[in-house]
């Protein structure tokens, strides 16, 4: 996997961003890795886009992955219109159409945070298309954003309209130490994460991406927030895909119970509980997460055609 570089020519670092025009809708997808590699569909979280889907994949697989990565901009984010898939079920249909268009029969599906409901909907609606499912800090039921997140949305709306506010927010998010400190309360974990070159780099990329093209990330974020506040607990007892749930026990954004319930109730569910981990447990436990994902996929993922 080639490192993501924002505000640069992505083709120079092996990432190809394309608009895929299909009968039902147009979707923005970043491709990375060899065409013959095992396909992976990556779904980002709130205030995301294809760039954050790539960061998720980099975090899970590390550098040098030989997988064929499809890093999408979910509906309402960056170049994918909200109308391309309003709600998890319609979003799942969009991804099935994407795989059809690309001639891919099955793929592993990885999702983080707000990408969880669509990933689960895809696994329910198209079980034959999912080789394995990895859910990282994912929302899986009713979710009302914590106060800190709710207070950020008005600021982001303002920043999307005001160049001055946008510059101020970019400076705030651009300081990797301050950004990490807001997400990691434990000083020892914070210091260890910042000392890890890969984890600190990926966290910095993620934080900086939020203020880049902010206005194009808000429609999906607002739609997700409203959807999750009204949605019921997502049933998983009939889920057929092998499922690995990775969740921090101290997650302040998406409570740990969202993940532990899925791992307990899904027929082929596994739980990697990151003790004391917060919503960024993916980065604070990066090496352990990568090892667990590698073992899980090796044990459960069958070769996919396409």
């Amino acid at each position: 996997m080639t490192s993501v570089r924002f505000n640069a020519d992505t083709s120079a670092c092996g990432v190809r961003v394309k608009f895929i025009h299909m009968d039902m809708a147009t979707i923005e997808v970043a491709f990375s890795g060899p065409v013959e590699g095992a396909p992976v569909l990556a779904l980002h979280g709130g205030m995301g886009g294809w760039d954050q889907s790539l960061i998720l994949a980099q975090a899970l697989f590390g550098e040098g992955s030989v997988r064929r990565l499809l890093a999408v901009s979910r509906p309402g984010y960056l170049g994918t219109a909200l109308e391309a898939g309003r709600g998890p079920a319609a979003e799942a249909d969009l991804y099935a159409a994407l795989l059809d268009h690309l001639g891919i029969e099955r793929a592993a599906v990885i999702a983080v945070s707000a990408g969880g409901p669509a990933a689960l909907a895809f696994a329910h609606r198209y079980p034959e298309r999912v080789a394995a499912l990895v859910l990282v800090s994912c929302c899986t039921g009713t979710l009302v954003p914590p106060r800190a997140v709710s207070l950020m949305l008005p600021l982001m709306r303002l920043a999307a309209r005001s160049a001055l506010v946008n510059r101020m927010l970019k400076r705030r998010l651009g300081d990797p130490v301050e950004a990490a400190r807001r997400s990691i309360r434990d000083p020892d974990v914070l210091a260890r994460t910042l000392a890890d070159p890969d984890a600190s780099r990926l966290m910095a990329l993620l934080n900086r991406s939020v203020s880049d093209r902010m206005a194009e990330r808000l429609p999906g974020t607002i739609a997700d927030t409203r959807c999750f506040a009204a949605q019921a607990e997502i049933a998983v007892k009939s889920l057929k895909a092998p499922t690995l749930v990775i969740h921090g026990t101290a997650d302040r954004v998406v409570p740990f119970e969202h993940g532990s319930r899925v791992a307990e109730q899904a027929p082929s569910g596994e739980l990697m509980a990151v003790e004391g981990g917060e919503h960024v447990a993916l980065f604070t436990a990066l090496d352990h997460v990568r090892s667990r994902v590698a073992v899980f996929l090796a044990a459960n993922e069958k070769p996919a055609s396409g």
Side-chain angles (χ1 to χ4, degrees):
M1 171 92 46
T2 306
S3 299
V4 181
R5 295 178 178 86
F6 299 110
N7 301 318
D9 179 7
T10 54
S11 63
C13 57
V15 177
R16 306 168 298 282
V17 183
K18 298 181 179 180
F19 287 95
I20 306 298
H21 303 284
M22 304 176 294
D23 290 340
M24 68 178 296
T26 295
I27 182 172
E28 184 182 37
V29 186
F31 297 90
S32 181
V35 173
E36 66 274 11
V40 176
L41 176 66
L43 308 180
H44 61 79
M47 290 303 293
W50 64 262
D51 46 5
Q52 292 189 22
S53 294
L54 276 175
I55 291 171
L56 168 64
Q58 282 194 13
L60 291 182
F61 303 128
E63 296 289 340
S65 172
V66 295
R67 292 176 173 275
R68 179 186 185 185
L69 181 65
L70 285 61
V72 305
S73 291
R74 296 175 48 236
Y77 293 91
L78 298 185
T80 303
L82 184 59
E83 290 70 23
R86 285 184 176 268
E91 193 175 334
D93 293 342
L94 177 67
Y95 302 143
L98 173 64
L99 295 188
D100 287 342
H101 183 87
L102 297 173
I104 296 174
E105 181 181 347
R106 301 169 74 244
V109 179
I110 60 175
V112 64
S113 194
L120 286 169
F122 185 71
H124 275 300
R125 294 169 74 83
Y126 302 95
E128 73 285 355
R129 312 299 296 268
V130 181
L133 180 62
V134 180
L135 303 175
V136 182
S137 306
C138 278
C139 168
T140 67
T142 307
L143 180 67
V144 177
R147 178 176 172 79
V149 175
S150 298
L151 290 175
M152 278 296 291
L153 275 176
L155 178 60
M156 289 176 174
R157 288 194 185 100
L158 181 59
R161 299 191 302 268
S162 167
L164 176 61
V165 177
N166 188 268
R167 286 195 297 271
M168 292 172 59
L169 191 59
K170 278 189 174 182
R171 284 197 295 270
R172 180 184 179 190
L173 296 173
D175 185 326
V177 176
E178 287 303 315
R181 185 175 286 121
R182 287 191 293 272
S183 300
I184 306 170
R185 289 175 295 184
D186 187 306
D188 293 333
V189 175
L190 174 65
R192 185 176 67 245
T193 304
L194 290 174
D196 183 325
D198 212 10
S200 59
R201 176 183 65 85
L202 290 168
M203 279 195 69
L205 284 173
L206 182 69
N207 287 318
R208 288 201 300 269
S209 72
V210 172
S211 59
D212 180 39
R213 298 169 64 185
M214 183 175 291
E216 298 171 56
R217 302 179 194 268
L218 279 171
T221 302
I222 294 169
D224 281 346
T225 301
R226 291 172 178 169
C227 175
F228 301 164
Q231 78 179 353
E233 187 176 82
I234 300 172
V236 295
K237 291 182 179 179
S238 62
L239 198 64
K240 294 183 178 179
T243 303
L244 174 62
V245 176
I246 301 167
H247 216 114
T249 62
D251 194 325
R252 292 173 287 164
V253 178
V254 180
F256 176 66
E257 291 72 22
H258 279 249
S260 60
R261 178 190 64 86
V262 170
E264 180 181 350
Q265 295 181 2
S268 299
E270 299 180 20
L271 175 65
M272 178 182 177
V274 181
E275 193 62 39
E278 301 185 60
H279 199 56
V280 293
L282 170 61
F283 303 116
T284 59
L286 187 62
D287 289 341
H288 295 300
V289 168
R290 285 176 174 171
S291 296
R292 184 65 180 269
V293 169
V295 170
F296 171 75
L297 291 179
N300 292 289
E301 189 182 36
K302 297 179 181 178
S305 61

